[in-house]
């Protein structure tokens, strides 16, 4: 009964044995790089599971869909421009990029490209929802692993950690609030919202926070936990 509030009270990324001393470095520790790659691979697998479930795309894809409705751009171009704008928002938040910022896009794209065709698809709605929930959990765990590596977050994760630092709110609430806001904007612009979209928006923040809490509990207590 006392575990849930602690899981949702994580306010920052913990520092563990695979954390790099600096995000922006040309000689990152090997352990940091390995956990970065594993984490991003799992992150991509989780997003692929959500796509395979077929019950709704991620909130940021809904936003990209909405942008295509008013600009006539392709979905890929809309996604790229959105990512660039999000990176621009890092400046006032003083968010530091790193090799993880670049590898985020590369590895996740490769995982989606090569693993998605092999993932199961279901006809029964409960199995679809189960796959979507699994996707959220796997994405959250992968996100926790790669963020703890401290080699630079992806555009959206960097926005999350930057906003958390400014607001001092728990990561779970910051991420959920951000995802819900993105859904609202995308839907208002004409994007398509599915049940899986809502599951992802409400579940990814708590999933990332729970993963960080669990990893910190196993590998050592950190001052990064509130």
């Amino acid at each position: 009964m006392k575990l849930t509030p602690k899981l949702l009270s994580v306010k920052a990324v913990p520092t563990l044995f695979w954390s790099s001393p600096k995000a922006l470095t040309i000689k990152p520790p090997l352990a940091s790089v390995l956990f970065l790659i594993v984490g991003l691979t799992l992150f991509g697998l989780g997003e692929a599971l959500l796509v395979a479930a077929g019950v709704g795309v991620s909130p940021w894809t809904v936003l990209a869909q909405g942008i295509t409705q008013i600009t006539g751009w392709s979905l890929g171009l809309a996604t790229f421009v959105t990512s660039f704008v999000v990176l621009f928002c890092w400046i006032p938040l003083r968010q530091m990029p790193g090799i993880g910022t670049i590898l985020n896009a590369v590895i996740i794209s490769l995982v989606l490209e090569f693993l998605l065709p092999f993932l199961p698809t279901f006809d029964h709605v409960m199995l679809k929802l189960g796959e979507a929930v699994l996707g959220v959990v796997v994405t959250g765990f992968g996100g926790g692993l790669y963020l703890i590596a401290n080699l630079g977050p992806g555009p959206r994760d960097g926005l999350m950690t930057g906003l958390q630092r400014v607001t001092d709110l728990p990561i779970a609430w910051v991420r959920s609030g951000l995802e819900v806001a993105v859904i609202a904007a995308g839907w208002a612009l004409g994007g398509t919202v599915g049940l899986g979209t809502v599951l992802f928006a409400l579940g990814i923040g708590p999933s990332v926070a729970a993963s960080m809490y669990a990893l910190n509990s196993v590998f050592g207590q950190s001052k990064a936990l509130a």
Side-chain angles (χ1 to χ4, degrees):
M1 295 297 291
K2 295 181 179 180
L3 188 60
T4 301
K6 290 183 179 180
L7 294 177
L8 300 182
S9 68
V10 177
K11 285 190 174 182
V13 180
T15 300
L16 300 177
F17 74 85
W18 67 90
S19 301
S20 173
K22 294 188 297 183
L24 188 58
T25 175
I26 59 173
K27 293 183 178 180
L30 179 59
S32 302
V33 175
L34 290 176
F35 275 87
L36 171 71
I37 293 173
V38 172
L40 287 175
T41 300
L42 289 174
F43 195 102
L45 173 60
E47 291 205 352
L49 285 167
L50 182 65
V51 174
V55 289
V57 296
S58 69
W60 289 91
T61 301
V62 173
L63 178 60
Q65 286 177 339
I67 292 173
T68 65
Q69 295 297 316
I70 62 174
T71 63
W73 296 344
S74 68
L75 187 63
L77 178 58
T79 300
F80 174 79
V81 171
T82 301
S83 297
F84 181 80
V85 171
V86 170
L87 284 173
F88 185 77
C89 292
W90 281 22
I91 297 175
L93 297 174
R94 298 182 179 180
Q95 181 65 54
M96 185 63 67
I99 61 171
T101 307
I102 299 173
L103 290 180
N104 183 283
V106 174
I107 292 177
I108 292 175
S109 297
L110 288 174
V111 171
L112 284 169
E113 179 73 19
F114 291 105
L115 287 188
L116 187 57
F118 298 98
L119 295 178
T121 57
F122 302 102
D123 295 324
H124 196 284
V125 65
M126 294 306 297
L127 293 176
K128 288 176 176 287
L129 291 176
E131 189 171 26
V133 171
L134 179 61
V136 173
V137 173
V138 173
T139 301
F141 184 67
L145 281 177
Y146 104 80
L147 286 171
I148 292 172
N150 192 35
L151 288 175
R156 297 156 188 80
D157 291 319
L159 183 60
M160 172 189 71
T161 54
L163 287 173
Q164 187 286 320
R165 193 163 52 247
V166 170
T167 62
D168 196 37
L169 293 171
I171 284 178
W173 304 126
V174 172
R175 185 56 178 264
S176 293
L178 183 61
E179 298 291 327
V180 170
V182 167
I183 287 180
W187 180 76
L189 293 174
T192 303
V193 177
L195 184 55
T197 309
V198 177
L199 284 173
F200 188 93
L202 297 180
I204 189 60
S207 181
V208 171
S211 297
M212 290 181 179
Y213 180 88
L215 289 167
N216 191 66
S217 297
V218 172
F219 295 105
Q221 293 300 314
S222 169
K223 294 180 180 180
L225 293 183

